[in-house]
Amino acid sequence: MKRRKELIVMFGMVTALNIFAQCMTPEFKQICEIIGQDNFFKAEEVYSSNKNDLSEIEQNYTEAILDNAFNRIEESERKIDWILNGKKDLPDSLELQLNIVKGDNALKSYQYAKAGNAYSTILEDYKELLSETETDDFNNLKTLCSALENIPPQTVNIRADTTIRIQKDMGGADTLQVVANNISENFLFDTGANFSVVSKSVAKRFNMDMISVNIDVVGGVNMEFQTQMAVCKKLTLGNIDVCNAVFLAVPDEHLFFPEDNYRIYGVIGYPIIQALKEIRLTKNGEFIVPKQESSFNGVVNLAMDGLLPLIYINGKHFYLDTGAEITTLYHKYYIENQEEIEKKHQLQKVVIGGVGGFLEYDGFIIDAVFSIFGRDVELKGINLLRNTYNADDTTYGNIGQDVISQFDAMTLNLDRMFIILE
């Protein structure tokens, strides 16, 4: 029952193209390989050590990618424009990557028409470099952005410091009370959801503007279905007003699990979470958003892989998913620890679930210890997948609430890109 809360709603992820053969200097090739593994933390370390050995165009390309990952959107966009508008000599595969980032920058800035133009360029000018799946993905994103091109950008007004009591739903998921159209409802809070989600019935009660467009969505166990878009003119969380928030309006049957009589009404995902800039989750069940961000002088330890947050632990990168109750380790972790794991554990079936049910994978049930912020965090009985979870499986795993709950508080800043666990 508790696994039911692991809601993952996402568009098909873009497969990193094999751009490395066309890289120029050896140092640039190394950085491209690391970026291709979505380890932006390591890529920035290597880039800082080798920057002077790279050409001007290699420097601007690398910085454009890393600026996007670390939420330096305007800087990323300036470097992309310098390369693309200046007709710099760059292989088509690298130009394609820059256009992908250009679309992502625009989407994160709620500039839907600009994002749509980037995806149109990708489909028209680089179609020979795309797989069939990638073509479908970009067509899906283009359709989404075209449907939203006349929607004003999302805005957030934090009137004062806000503290909201986190409430557990019957599935054990963390929910927050939201208000729209003078009606309140409890929505899940999930950094692992790259778009916010609302059931169609709640969208109607909230008087959201429905957009007649069909978007392909992939659920947590690769179950595909179509959904529409909805725009909430004003959504209130405590002292916070979110205007023009975009939601995937999902048919109710995809958010209801009759065998457990469990229903999800909505999900607060990345676009709203990021706009809050900083949030603090406490062990005693408080969701806190300060009007002024906290001071921070440490090393950046948070990055974005598209619309999904990454955390850096012991030199390894993991997804950070507040909507997952338990941590799951991926194939990359297995490969690096294969001998020890196979010596101590039996191969068995492990269950991964989300929207649409559960799937079984070959894997192991293991105990693991991570050193996080100077503290040993012990995890017992977590899933480790022997094989790749999906085609874009480049991280070491997905960090869930079983890690976060071992600390008194978590501060997550998606503006200056840092996380503090204390």
Side-chain angles (χ1 to χ4, degrees):
M1 176 61 219
K2 291 184 178 180
R3 288 191 301 268
R4 191 71 78 191
K5 70 180 292 295
E6 294 179 18
L7 177 68
I8 304 172
V9 179
M10 55 188 289
F11 293 98
M13 299 297 291
V14 177
T15 302
L17 299 178
N18 185 14
I19 63 176
F20 314 132
Q22 302 184 61
C23 291
M24 302 171 189
T25 64
E27 294 82 6
F28 186 51
K29 179 178 180 178
Q30 181 188 10
I31 293 168
C32 286
E33 288 174 343
I34 298 170
I35 287 174
Q37 292 297 309
D38 297 326
N39 194 341
F40 305 109
F41 310 97
K42 182 65 174 179
E44 185 151 76
E45 293 171 3
V46 174
Y47 174 67
S48 297
S49 300
N50 295 277
K51 179 178 179 179
N52 293 335
D53 296 323
L54 273 60
S55 68
E56 183 180 21
I57 190 170
E58 290 173 338
Q59 290 180 17
N60 277 275
Y61 175 88
T62 303
E63 290 178 13
I65 303 295
L66 294 178
D67 284 342
N68 165 267
F70 294 110
N71 197 41
R72 303 185 289 259
I73 301 301
E74 292 182 4
E75 291 90 337
S76 175
E77 199 61 16
R78 280 199 300 270
K79 288 152 189 169
I80 292 173
D81 288 343
W82 180 83
I83 296 173
L84 297 181
N85 296 343
K87 306 294 184 183
K88 306 298 181 183
D89 186 17
L90 200 67
D92 286 349
S93 59
L94 297 188
E95 286 188 5
L96 169 59
Q97 295 299 315
L98 290 179
N99 277 285
I100 292 172
V101 172
K102 190 176 186 68
D104 186 66
N105 284 339
L107 202 55
K108 288 174 177 173
S109 304
Y110 317 109
Q111 301 178 65
Y112 306 114
K114 187 175 180 180
N117 289 337
Y119 298 129
S120 292
T121 297
I122 290 168
L123 290 164
E124 293 169 6
D125 296 350
Y126 303 95
K127 58 186 177 182
E128 293 182 357
L129 298 178
L130 302 176
S131 68
E132 183 178 349
T133 299
E134 289 164 345
T135 299
D136 291 342
D137 290 338
F138 286 119
N139 272 315
N140 203 39
L141 285 168
K142 178 185 174 183
T143 299
L144 179 146
C145 293
S146 297
L148 298 173
E149 62 183 4
N150 295 319
I151 302 299
Q154 176 185 281
T155 61
V156 169
N157 179 26
I158 303 175
R159 300 188 303 274
D161 292 348
T162 290
T163 300
I164 302 173
R165 175 61 57 181
I166 297 172
Q167 301 178 51
K168 296 285 187 182
D169 69 7
M170 66 175 294
D174 289 342
T175 69
L176 301 173
Q177 185 181 72
V178 301
V179 179
N181 195 33
N182 294 317
I183 298 170
S184 66
E185 192 55 83
N186 281 15
F187 281 12
L188 303 186
F189 168 81
D190 189 355
T191 60
N194 53 17
F195 272 84
S196 298
V197 175
V198 65
S199 69
K200 282 191 174 182
S201 62
V202 172
K204 184 176 181 179
R205 289 196 289 120
F206 277 10
N207 197 30
M208 293 187 183
D209 293 333
M210 300 297 297
I211 299 176
S212 182
V213 61
N214 290 322
I215 304 297
D216 294 326
V217 174
V218 179
V221 292
N222 296 323
M223 179 186 131
E224 297 185 16
F225 54 89
Q226 287 194 327
T227 183
Q228 293 179 290
M229 307 298 298
V231 179
C232 189
K233 294 187 182 69
K234 182 180 178 181
L235 185 78
T236 300
L237 299 88
N239 299 315
I240 304 166
D241 294 327
V242 183
C243 296
N244 303 313
V246 173
F247 287 79
L248 297 175
V250 177
D252 286 42
E253 59 266 26
H254 291 300
L255 298 176
F256 179 60
F257 307 94
E259 65 272 25
D260 298 310
N261 195 32
Y262 177 57
R263 185 182 302 278
I264 294 170
Y265 297 96
V267 181
I268 299 298
Y270 172 79
I272 293 177
I273 296 170
Q274 188 277 332
L276 301 178
K277 295 188 176 179
E278 180 174 308
I279 62 172
R280 180 178 173 86
L281 303 176
T282 69
K283 197 170 186 176
N284 63 359
E286 292 178 326
F287 174 91
I288 301 168
V289 179
K291 186 173 175 62
Q292 297 294 328
E293 296 178 50
S294 304
S295 60
F296 180 74
N297 299 315
V299 177
V300 169
N301 56 6
L302 198 65
M304 296 303 301
D305 175 19
L307 299 178
L308 295 172
L310 294 165
I311 184 174
Y312 205 37
I313 300 174
N314 302 337
K316 298 175 172 55
H317 58 304
F318 298 79
Y319 287 118
L320 177 66
D321 186 356
T322 61
E325 183 180 355
I326 60 173
T327 293
T328 299
L329 300 176
Y330 293 164
H331 175 70
K332 196 174 184 72
Y333 185 94
Y334 164 72
I335 289 298
E336 292 194 5
N337 301 276
Q338 182 175 357
E339 183 176 351
E340 180 182 359
I341 289 165
E342 292 184 346
K343 185 184 299 183
K344 294 182 178 179
H345 303 280
Q346 282 290 117
L347 182 66
Q348 59 184 284
K349 294 294 184 181
V350 299
V351 178
I352 302 294
V355 175
F358 305 108
L359 289 178
E360 289 187 340
Y361 294 86
D362 290 333
F364 306 87
I365 306 296
I366 71 168
D367 299 337
V369 178
F370 296 102
S371 178
I372 304 176
F373 288 93
R375 180 190 302 183
D376 286 342
V377 175
E378 186 175 358
L379 301 176
K380 290 186 174 295
I382 60 174
N383 291 339
L384 167 63
L385 306 185
R386 186 182 67 170
N387 302 316
T388 53
Y389 183 33
N390 56 53
D392 308 291
D393 192 355
T394 59
T395 70
Y396 286 85
N398 193 62
I399 298 296
Q401 286 287 348
D402 52 350
V403 171
I404 298 168
S405 64
Q406 295 193 40
F407 294 83
D408 291 331
M410 176 183 76
T411 299
L412 185 67
N413 188 300
L414 288 166
D415 179 29
R416 289 177 289 144
M417 304 306 290
F418 66 83
I419 179 172
I420 300 174
L421 293 165
E422 53 190 343

